[in-house]
Amino acid sequence: MTATAPPLQHTPKPRPSAPPPVWTSSVLAPVAAGLATLFASTSLTGVVSGWAWFGYLLVAVVLIASTGLALRSLRAPTIVVGLAQLLVLLLLITGAFTTSGILKIFPGPDALEELRGVLAAAAEQIRVGLPPVEGTPPILCLITIAIGLVAVLVDTLAVAAAAPAATGLVLLCVYAVPAALAEDMLPWWTFLLGAAAFAGLLAVDGNHRHRRWRNRDAPGLGNSASTLSAPVGVVAAAIAMGLVIGTAVTGVGTVGSLPGGQGSGRGGAGGFGVEPFTQLRGLLDQGENVELFKVYGLGADKRLLRAFTLDTYTPNKGWGLAQNGRAQQGVQANKGLPPAPGDDGAGPGREIRIEPTNWVDNWLPIYGAPRALNGLADNWLYDPVGGAVFTTTKQNAPAYTETASIKEPSKDELRLDDARLAEVPPQFTQVDRVDPRVVAKAKQLTENESNNFDKAQALWSFFTAQNGFVYDTKTADATDSDALADFILNGKRGFCEQYASAMAVMLRAVGIPSRVAIGFTSGTPKGDHVSISSEDAHAWVEVYFQTKGWVSFDPTPLLDGRAVVPPYLQNDAGSSTTNDTQEVPSAPASSAPATGTPRDQGDDLGADGGTGQQDEEPLWPAILAGILGGLAAALTVVAIVRSRLRYRALMRPSSSPDAPEPEHGFLDNQNVTNWLPLIAIALWVAAFAFLAAWVSWWFALALVVVLGGLGTPTAIREIKRRLRLQKIASRSPAAADAAWRELMDECADRGLPLSGGDTVRVAGRKVVEKHRLDEEGRSGLRTVIGVVERSWYSDKPADDQTLGPAFDEVRKSLKRNAPMSWKGRLFPRSLRRGK
């Protein structure tokens, strides 16, 4: 047996320049498509408050891009990839915005019905709200669905159809909707981000398409970095010129100027308002506490400050304005006001000065029954039917003085003052499609009462801790298709919107005129005035009596000292129950504010004002996901940079024999940096698992199973590879056997399973012919074959120092001439060999 293998016959050919790494063409395109979608979505800042929605969009885009990448690596048809991406989006929506999904994330009939209600609530909020609207769960759901669909379309066009230019029209539509709805011009930076991301998408496709064509240089293109960066430079220059020229000529599409410039665009003033609707399910999201009003003239009196009232109930949605407020009419508020219901003008009036500090809305809060309003412009109107002061456009409110009657009636007066329904406007008595169980419960609670006041008090007393009701910033998980019945009979947990909505419906169910009032609790005394803040936003019930007008009943069991309990509802000898929750010890204390439907137009939403949300929705999974994601991103950058440096070294021709030996990959396989890709992948999986756990633990489990199923074969194969390379680097007695087994596995993963019956030389010829090894690869293979034969057949195996460098040359030649597909990486065929 000769010690050196004869040369393998192969006609030398000029070595072509290597194609770009597989990950470059496979990964960069979907990443660029996802970034383009996310950056275009920043235009939503003009119509939605806060940034809570961006977190949902980030998760959705990452899942969609990952799904597409995984399925395309398996050569799945484009239609299958698109349907799978839509399915992943549906699972995310079900887990994040419904409570009745199968295993939390799989949509069943109940979940789909609940989702339909959520989208209907979002449509209602859009119809009645003013931009920027509050980032409520219905709005977040609608945005996630819309941008998720855009992400699927952009990914399909840019990656599957290889037509990234066509995504420009789709992304332009993303900008068109907020631009048409926003009252102010969209910020300049959202256009800059979108244009830059779209340019990057075109540049990635341009480099992939023109840099190489069937492993040959495209005509007219060199290999210099300056040549490759030309498309990026042209697009960047066009962006800069467009922004500068646009700033000088027109303010359309931006705030009118670059930072520091002078433009004509209107800047949006930050402030707060309240939305004209209530919801029956959901989570109370509240931003930073901000003072809204300073009130002078109330003294020690605790009064509710009413912004507007709601008169129309819609099942599974909540309360709103009749005809979405389009039929609302009023008289000039700065002129003589018509008498409010229940106020004959005979009693004394109280002068109350209200100074808005951060209030921006088209509603102006008032106390009691107003008699005069001073300090308002002619565009402010007073609606005597709804008891609200309003204007047609949202604006900064001026300081104003109200003369009002705030006299409270007595119990005896109210017991003798039932309303004559024929004289009450019908919008305050009508209620349709109420669940029969709710009607039965209301009748049961009031069956022993003989007048409207005692009936209203019986219903008011029902919403107490003794009956299981708890104030919380989140409603209980849904167990019933009817949200109102679920709250009253099952969940019994929520905030002021749910309590006011429920009591008002029950009142109408037993024939008592009622409406829901939106406004503020009594506030906090500060020196000579009372401070009303965003934490004081509240909802309560008003009941109509024939001569006393609208009388307040607040059923929300508050424990923070801000509850307003009027004299006619306080304890006396004839009352056995009470809703004066300041004296109820059995309800769990909460520091959560008595907020109802706040809308933050200047600050980010999502910070809960109390402890309830943190108990129900712990933040630690999101925090841990952020930490792991940051570590994973850092390790990924290091691994990519290191891979690129090695790739450039791999592309260089071999050095002369006298030149110092370059650093070969096998020489530092014991270094921890060789394990960076595996560590980074594990950290990414853990980060996304914890992020998904923030939505649903079932969703996290499903994500881990899917990612684990995809990544486990790759991880096992990579561990086997690195253990073998470690033997080669350490020149152990089993180095030659490890090298040959690794070479066989490398070929099997590339679609060339070698038979165990082949001799070493026959197998070597197959490798050369199948994978078209270049001269460096053939030379290294000859050395490896010689070392393997000596190891297997010689009585005295030599400690051959040439094995490591030669084997590294073979591996590099395989990478240059036979790049491994993603299918081969994800599902290595070598694992089926069982060796």
Side-chain angles (χ1 to χ4, degrees):
M1 177 70 63
T2 58
T4 303
L8 299 170
Q9 300 300 320
H10 190 274
T11 303
K13 295 182 180 179
R15 187 179 71 180
S17 59
V22 174
W23 64 265
T24 301
S25 58
S26 300
V27 177
L28 286 187
V31 168
L35 287 177
T37 302
L38 283 176
F39 287 174
S41 70
T42 58
S43 61
L44 295 173
T45 54
V47 292
V48 182
S49 298
W51 282 92
W53 52 270
F54 192 79
Y56 289 93
L57 297 191
L58 178 61
V59 174
V61 169
V62 168
L63 290 178
I64 288 169
S66 302
T67 302
L69 181 62
L71 291 179
R72 291 188 186 103
S73 69
L74 301 178
R75 303 187 184 278
T78 300
I79 185 65
V80 173
V81 175
L83 291 175
Q85 290 174 324
L86 293 176
L87 177 60
V88 168
L89 178 61
L90 179 59
L91 296 179
L92 173 63
I93 295 297
T94 303
F97 299 105
T98 68
T99 58
S100 52
I102 302 171
L103 299 181
K104 297 294 186 181
I105 63 171
F106 295 100
D110 293 340
L112 293 177
E113 179 63 23
E114 186 178 352
L115 185 60
R116 185 194 65 79
V118 170
L119 294 178
E124 181 72 11
Q125 183 176 352
I126 292 173
R127 283 195 299 270
V128 302
L130 295 171
V133 298
E134 181 192 359
T136 60
I139 292 295
L140 295 179
C141 178
L142 180 63
I143 291 175
T144 306
I145 292 175
I147 301 301
L149 294 176
V150 170
V152 173
L153 184 56
V154 170
D155 185 80
T156 302
L157 290 174
V159 183
T167 64
L169 182 60
V170 180
L171 298 176
L172 184 62
C173 292
V174 175
Y175 282 94
V177 175
L181 295 177
E183 292 187 352
D184 300 319
M185 294 184 182
L186 300 181
W188 62 271
W189 53 265
T190 182
F191 289 92
L192 181 61
L193 286 176
F198 183 59
L201 184 58
L202 295 178
V204 168
D205 178 73
N207 283 340
H208 171 62
R209 187 182 297 274
H210 301 297
R211 165 83 168 165
R212 303 291 303 167
W213 174 252
R214 296 181 182 275
N215 292 338
R216 295 191 296 272
D217 289 333
L221 288 180
N223 296 332
S224 67
S226 59
T227 304
L228 293 176
S229 62
V232 180
V234 171
V235 175
I239 294 172
M241 292 178 61
L243 287 173
V244 173
I245 295 174
T247 301
V249 176
T250 177
V252 174
T254 71
V255 292
S257 66
L258 294 174
Q262 299 296 324
S264 58
R266 295 179 294 136
F272 282 79
V274 289
E275 296 286 1
F277 77 102
T278 66
Q279 59 183 359
L280 295 175
R281 283 177 176 151
L283 175 68
L284 173 60
D285 283 332
Q286 184 180 24
E288 178 185 358
N289 186 32
V290 176
E291 184 182 63
L292 304 181
F293 304 97
K294 293 180 179 179
V295 179
Y296 299 84
L298 273 182
D301 288 343
K302 297 181 68 174
R303 305 287 178 174
L304 294 169
L305 179 61
R306 181 179 64 249
F308 54 85
T309 59
L310 307 176
D311 52 31
T312 302
Y313 170 73
T314 303
N316 279 327
K317 291 184 181 179
W319 286 79
L321 291 169
Q323 301 181 31
N324 296 325
R326 290 188 293 269
Q328 190 172 16
Q329 297 180 353
V331 299
Q332 277 187 255
N334 59 1
K335 302 293 178 64
L337 299 182
D343 181 23
D344 57 7
R350 177 81 64 89
E351 281 198 358
I352 305 170
R353 181 164 178 78
I354 304 173
E355 295 181 358
T357 54
N358 287 286
W359 179 257
V360 180
D361 208 343
N362 57 340
W363 307 97
L364 205 59
I366 55 176
Y367 286 98
R371 293 178 178 176
L373 291 166
N374 298 315
L376 299 180
D378 292 341
N379 62 328
W380 288 98
L381 305 176
Y382 171 66
D383 174 18
V385 177
V389 179
F390 68 98
T391 187
T392 55
T393 59
K394 180 182 65 176
Q395 57 189 266
N396 289 290
Y400 56 101
T401 300
E402 177 192 6
T403 302
S405 171
I406 56 174
K407 179 183 178 182
E408 300 282 15
S410 67
K411 289 187 178 185
D412 293 335
E413 290 174 330
L414 294 175
R415 285 189 173 114
L416 300 174
D417 198 24
D418 287 358
R420 292 188 288 271
L421 296 182
E423 300 177 10
V424 179
Q427 66 263 34
F428 298 118
T429 59
Q430 293 176 347
V431 60
D432 300 321
R433 294 180 294 161
V434 179
D435 191 289
R437 293 170 294 174
V438 174
V439 177
K441 187 64 176 179
K443 291 181 177 180
Q444 174 197 346
L445 293 171
T446 59
E447 62 183 354
N448 296 325
E449 309 300 341
S450 60
N451 58 79
N452 284 359
F453 172 76
D454 287 337
K455 291 179 180 180
Q457 187 180 34
L459 293 174
W460 173 79
S461 300
F462 171 64
F463 298 99
T464 59
Q466 290 92 334
N467 291 324
F469 286 93
V470 177
Y471 177 83
D472 199 350
T473 55
K474 183 180 180 181
T475 57
D477 292 340
T479 59
D480 198 294
S481 59
D482 186 88
L484 179 62
D486 196 21
F487 171 74
I488 294 173
L489 304 176
N490 303 320
K492 298 186 177 183
R493 179 180 293 270
F495 45 101
C496 57
E497 291 187 26
Q498 286 81 48
Y499 286 97
S501 297
M503 181 176 174
V505 171
M506 297 175 79
L507 284 165
R508 290 195 184 183
V510 294
I512 301 176
S514 62
R515 65 189 186 188
V516 173
I518 303 293
F520 302 90
T521 56
S522 56
T524 304
K526 290 187 177 180
D528 61 344
H529 69 278
V530 173
S531 176
I532 306 292
S533 71
S534 56
E535 283 190 347
D536 296 312
H538 195 48
W540 63 94
V541 177
E542 291 185 345
V543 180
Y544 185 76
F545 292 87
Q546 190 64 36
T547 63
K548 301 304 177 183
W550 292 100
V551 178
S552 298
F553 288 75
D554 185 2
T556 305
L558 298 175
L559 285 169
D560 56 4
R562 302 185 188 185
V564 177
V565 183
Y568 51 84
L569 290 176
Q570 292 178 6
N571 276 335
D572 61 16
S575 176
S576 59
T577 58
T578 180
N579 201 3
D580 185 355
T581 54
Q582 299 179 68
E583 301 176 5
V584 178
S586 58
S590 173
S591 61
T595 46
T597 53
R599 182 181 67 218
D600 179 354
Q601 297 168 348
D603 300 294
D604 290 348
L605 292 174
D608 178 53
T611 60
Q613 181 181 353
Q614 294 179 0
D615 292 338
E616 295 292 335
E617 300 288 344
L619 292 178
W620 67 265
I623 295 174
L624 192 55
I627 295 174
L628 294 175
L631 292 175
L635 292 182
T636 300
V637 171
V638 173
I640 290 176
V641 171
R642 188 168 179 272
S643 174
R644 295 303 295 169
L645 292 176
R646 283 189 169 190
Y647 180 71
R648 291 179 181 178
L650 181 149
M651 293 299 102
R652 290 196 298 265
S654 298
S655 305
S656 62
D658 298 332
E661 188 72 22
E663 180 185 4
H664 292 285
F666 76 94
L667 290 177
D668 62 308
N669 275 294
Q670 296 183 18
N671 195 315
V672 70
T673 57
N674 282 290
W675 298 87
L676 284 181
L678 287 177
I679 298 174
I681 291 173
L683 287 175
W684 278 120
V685 172
F688 281 113
F690 280 107
L691 190 60
W694 201 26
V695 176
S696 166
W697 282 108
W698 283 107
F699 185 40
L701 179 61
L703 185 64
V704 169
V705 169
V706 171
L707 294 179
L710 292 175
T712 299
T714 302
I716 294 175
R717 175 69 182 94
E718 189 66 22
I719 292 173
K720 290 178 64 177
R721 175 186 293 114
R722 295 188 183 279
L723 291 175
R724 288 167 178 169
L725 294 178
Q726 206 166 313
K727 291 181 180 179
I728 299 172
S730 62
R731 300 172 186 171
S732 73
D737 189 63
W740 188 250
R741 288 182 180 276
E742 178 60 25
L743 180 60
M744 296 300 98
D745 284 354
E746 288 277 356
C747 293
D749 294 339
R750 288 171 167 81
L752 179 63
L754 298 175
S755 171
D758 292 337
T759 65
V760 175
R761 299 190 182 192
V762 171
R765 291 192 186 95
K766 291 182 179 180
V767 172
V768 170
E769 295 171 358
K770 174 68 176 180
H771 297 312
R772 301 184 297 279
L773 297 188
D774 50 30
E775 183 58 37
E776 290 84 354
R778 293 197 302 273
S779 175
L781 183 58
R782 285 193 292 269
T783 301
V784 170
I785 289 176
V787 173
V788 170
E789 288 181 334
R790 288 196 301 272
S791 172
W792 287 359
Y793 305 117
S794 173
D795 294 335
K796 297 180 179 180
D799 181 13
D800 202 325
Q801 299 182 5
T802 63
L803 175 61
F807 185 74
D808 199 48
E809 287 294 339
V810 176
R811 291 183 65 217
K812 290 195 291 186
S813 182
L814 286 172
K815 291 180 180 179
R816 286 193 296 264
N817 299 281
M820 193 178 301
S821 67
W822 273 96
K823 184 177 181 180
R825 292 172 183 269
L826 290 176
F827 303 103
R829 296 184 181 181
S830 58
L831 296 182
R832 307 173 192 171
R833 300 175 66 222
K835 297 181 181 180

